Amino acid sequence: MMEWYTVVAIILGPLLLLMLAGLPVAFAFLVVNLIGAYLLMGGVSGIEQLVLNTVDSLASFTLVPIALFMIMGEGMFQSRIAIDLMDTLDKWFGRLRGRLAFMAVGGGVLFSTLTGNSMGSIALLGSTLVPEMEKRGYKKPMSLGPILGSAGLAIMIPPSSLAVVLGVVSDLSIGKILIGIIVPGLLMAVLYATYIWVRCTLQPDLAPSFDVEPVPLSEKLNATVVHILPLSLVVFSVVGVIFLGIATPSEAAATGAFATLALAAMKRRLSWDVFSRTIFGSANISVMVLLIVAGAVGFTQILAYTGATYGMVDAITSMDASPSAIVAMMIASVVFLGMFMGPLPIMLITLPIFVPIVIQFGFDPIWFAAMYLVAIETGSTSPPLGAALFVMKAVAPVGTTMNDIYKAAIPFIICDFLAILLLFYFPALVTWPVDAMY
Amino acid sequence: MSFYQSVVRLFSRLNLICAIFGASILFFIAAIIFMEVVGRAVTGSSQLWVIEVSEYSLMYITFLGAPYLLEKNRHVVLDILYNSVGPGWQRLAALFNAGVGLALCVVVTIVGIGVVIDQIGSGVRETTVMAPQSFWLTMAMPVGMFLLGFQFLDQGVRAATGRGRA
């Protein structure tokens, strides 16, 4: 019997090597699973078992929301409902100093309730707001930063695809996670808004005031009724139906998807072209995610089968450090990995190791899940290689350097760390809404 | 047009057809789950087959859609190292990845077909309410891996002949 660290080295080493060589993440997992199954699970019969395990792991109802939340996001973007939302916010913010930066935060929160994809939010907020911000003389820290920060809220506010992945990989209640991350998500938005307000007050030149055409109250109210109020139908169809016990979180993704399509139809924007691009686009993203999840679940099973998971948990729990310090180290390591890797691979590699340890220590795993997701969001906006930074670069105006984006992101990363600290010391921010619901 | 290019085009069309079929299944499961929620709220009764069909559909959505994404290079890739090396190393990495991917697909296709044949022979069924024959479910994997295998082969050929990234 091999020691656990030998098994981990045999499995994890080639996995990282294949990923770094540029093999798609899903196939890197499958290759390592194949070799692991052959060497550690009894040759060809191990591979046969791997095939059956992959089928079992994919044919799971808990994975359904990943695919269906994608329909919501794609539908919002393809039918331009998201653009309407931004236009309406624009009417309300008036002459407020830093209004476009606040709009980014407001838009980020609202998009987060409609889509579970932070990269889509960055692309949309970046392409619609940054050119206007540049035109109005906003400096980079106040144009790029708020978008980077608030677009990441899509991870934290339901529906969140990554929250579903977390629930599936860690075998935790998806419903509890979705409820538990609402307050942390809103807390982050408040921290971002506070930072923008303080910075704009201290350094007004970062976000110069500019005259905007006064919008009559009747027009603002009309735009709100036409463009924002109907969105409550979509929000209700996801979060409301879970709260009321009408649907499970998996089913709520379907009601959300249909509410989105219904809203697009009501706005007379659901042409065949929009519909087919929505469904085809969401299917493509779903395939990417589902294949990675299938590979990662097989990876988790091999780690567990060989005793590597137990060995790691045992080694960490017997370390000469307090359980809280170990949890803090785990969260820090997630942020660190996020500087180099995308959210999904990090989640799929670390969760099977971290969550059993957290449970072993007697902590609430939902509390840990909420901090973990903030850390994932933080990592994805962290230099040098956070994934969100490159999406921002893609939509930023010509001449924007990666250095500009790095500098703009840092204050919002500090806000994220502050949010993690608050959650760490006040677990009730996560656990209270969950306890109230369950 | 060479024979090889004709085969590439044929597989490309097959991939697109499979991806469209997979997307149609996605919409289908969204529709049946939505109707299940509405139906349950109205009549108070559940259709047990909805969950099962949705679960099985995920297999087909994934393995029918994956080859199209590989053809379009849209799978998630960690390209930190890949993008920081010169064209020579990139070509080498592309060849390596294509070879590893092809080997994976060949093995899983062959073993997968063996598992499907076993399941057909033994008549084994899923232990669920609908109890379908298990091979209907497993079959998606070797089919998808076969199509993926061809894409890896093509990526290897393109890398070897210097026609773009694998």
Side-chain angles (χ1 to χ4, degrees), chain A residues 26-60:
Chain A
F27 297 100
F29 271 114
L30 290 172
V31 169
V32 170
N33 292 349
L34 185 79
I35 297 169
Y38 185 80
L39 293 178
L40 306 167
M41 292 170 68
V44 176
S45 60
I47 300 176
E48 288 172 351
Q49 191 57 47
L50 179 73
V51 170
L52 294 171
N53 288 354
T54 306
V55 172
D56 279 346
S57 61
L58 265 179
S60 163

Side-chain angles (χ1 to χ4, degrees), chain A residues 4 8 300 302-314 352-353 356:
Chain A
W4 67 267
V8 171
T300 310
I302 289 177
L303 279 182
Y305 176 83
T306 54
T309 306
Y310 177 78
M312 276 185 283
V313 172
D314 192 43
I353 299 164

Side-chain angles (χ1 to χ4, degrees), chain A residues 35-280:
Chain A
I35 297 169
Y38 185 80
L39 293 178
L40 306 167
M41 292 170 68
V44 176
S45 60
I47 300 176
E48 288 172 351
Q49 191 57 47
L50 179 73
V51 170
L52 294 171
N53 288 354
T54 306
V55 172
D56 279 346
S57 61
L58 265 179
S60 163
F61 198 61
T62 49
L63 290 176
V64 166
I66 293 176
L68 302 186
F69 282 154
M70 300 298 174
I71 297 180
M72 288 180 64
E74 281 289 309
M76 287 289 164
F77 293 122
Q78 298 288 353
S79 63
R80 298 178 60 80
I81 292 173
I83 303 279
D84 289 345
L85 193 148
M86 292 305 295
D87 288 345
T88 308
L89 280 181
D90 187 43
K91 290 186 168 67
W92 277 105
F93 278 105
R95 294 183 184 186
L96 182 70
R97 184 181 292 283
R99 64 192 285 273
L100 294 173
F102 282 112
M103 265 182 70
V105 177
V109 172
L110 285 171
F111 285 156
S112 301
T113 62
L114 307 171
T115 162
N117 182 353
S118 62
M119 299 306 159
S121 287
I122 291 178
L124 187 94
L125 288 169
S127 56
T128 51
L129 281 181
V130 175
E132 180 70 9
M133 287 168 154
E134 296 270 313
K135 200 169 82 185
R136 300 294 182 184
Y138 275 51
K139 304 289 184 294
K140 296 279 192 299
M142 213 35 76
S143 61
L144 309 178
I147 292 171
L148 273 172
S150 50
L153 293 174
I155 295 174
M156 296 305 303
I157 295 175
S160 160
S161 304
L162 289 185
V164 176
V165 173
L166 195 155
V168 172
V169 176
S170 314
D171 201 18
L172 298 174
S173 158
I174 294 166
K176 285 184 179 178
I177 298 173
L178 289 176
I179 302 293
I181 59 177
I182 293 174
V183 174
L186 295 176
L187 173 71
M188 288 163 73
V190 170
L191 288 171
Y192 296 156
T194 308
Y195 163 74
I196 292 168
W197 180 76
V198 170
R199 190 93 193 259
C200 288
T201 307
L202 295 176
Q203 290 177 280
D205 60 308
L206 284 181
S209 290
F210 57 92
D211 283 337
V212 285
E213 193 97 351
V215 179
L217 183 66
S218 59
E219 193 181 324
K220 289 179 190 173
L221 289 172
N222 183 49
T224 306
V225 170
V226 173
H227 298 310
I228 293 192
L229 212 57
L231 293 176
S232 55
L233 170 78
V234 180
V235 176
F236 173 79
S237 67
V238 179
V239 184
V241 294
I242 299 175
F243 267 95
L244 293 176
I246 296 171
T248 64
S250 301
E251 292 171 337
T255 54
F258 263 81
T260 306
L261 294 176
L263 189 58
M266 281 191 278
K267 285 175 169 279
R268 297 176 186 275
R269 306 235 181 107
L270 193 64
S271 62
W272 171 251
D273 186 45
V274 167
F275 174 76
S276 56
R277 274 191 283 133
T278 298
I279 300 297
F280 194 65

Side-chain angles (χ1 to χ4, degrees), chain A residues 6-37:
Chain A
T6 313
V7 175
V8 171
I10 288 175
I11 295 174
L12 216 52
L15 178 69
L16 293 176
L17 186 75
L18 290 169
M19 284 185 185
L20 286 172
L23 186 69
V25 171
F27 297 100
F29 271 114
L30 290 172
V31 169
V32 170
N33 292 349
L34 185 79
I35 297 169

Side-chain angles (χ1 to χ4, degrees), chain B residues 143-162:
Chain B
V143 169
M145 292 307 270
F146 172 72
L147 293 172
L148 284 164
F150 182 81
Q151 288 313 310
F152 276 118
L153 174 71
D154 184 47
Q155 290 190 350
V157 170
R158 278 190 283 136
T161 54

Side-chain angles (χ1 to χ4, degrees), chain A residues 18-27 30-31 34 44 47-48 51-52 54-56 58-61 63-64 67-68 71 246-248 250-251 254-255 257-258 261 275 279-288 290-292 340-342 345 385, chain B residues 16 19-20 22-24 26-27 29-31 33-34 36-37 40-41 51 54-56 58-59 61-63 65-66 68-70 74-78 80-82 93 96-97 100-101 104 107-108 111-112 115 118-119 137-138 141 145 148 152 165:
Chain A
L18 290 169
M19 284 185 185
L20 286 172
L23 186 69
V25 171
F27 297 100
L30 290 172
V31 169
L34 185 79
V44 176
I47 300 176
E48 288 172 351
V51 170
L52 294 171
T54 306
V55 172
D56 279 346
L58 265 179
S60 163
F61 198 61
L63 290 176
V64 166
L68 302 186
I71 297 180
I246 296 171
T248 64
S250 301
E251 292 171 337
T255 54
F258 263 81
L261 294 176
F275 174 76
I279 300 297
F280 194 65
S282 40
N284 284 343
I285 304 170
S286 307
V287 169
M288 272 183 237
L290 290 173
L291 201 60
I292 295 176
F340 307 95
M341 297 165 71
L385 297 167
Chain B
L16 182 62
I20 291 171
S24 309
L26 174 64
F27 181 69
I29 64 169
I33 296 170
F34 176 72
E36 159 69 7
V37 174
R40 194 175 55 218
I51 289 181
S54 308
E55 288 176 339
Y56 304 151
L58 288 179
M59 271 300 288
I61 292 171
T62 306
F63 282 103
Y68 174 80
L69 288 187
L70 188 62
R74 286 183 56 193
H75 279 285
V76 180
V77 173
L78 208 66
I80 310 169
L81 198 63
Y82 188 93
F96 172 75
N97 291 335
V100 170
L104 165 79
V107 173
V108 177
V111 175
V115 172
D118 274 355
Q119 287 178 331
L137 196 51
T138 313
M141 193 168 180
M145 292 307 270
L148 284 164
F152 276 118
R165 180 189 169 164

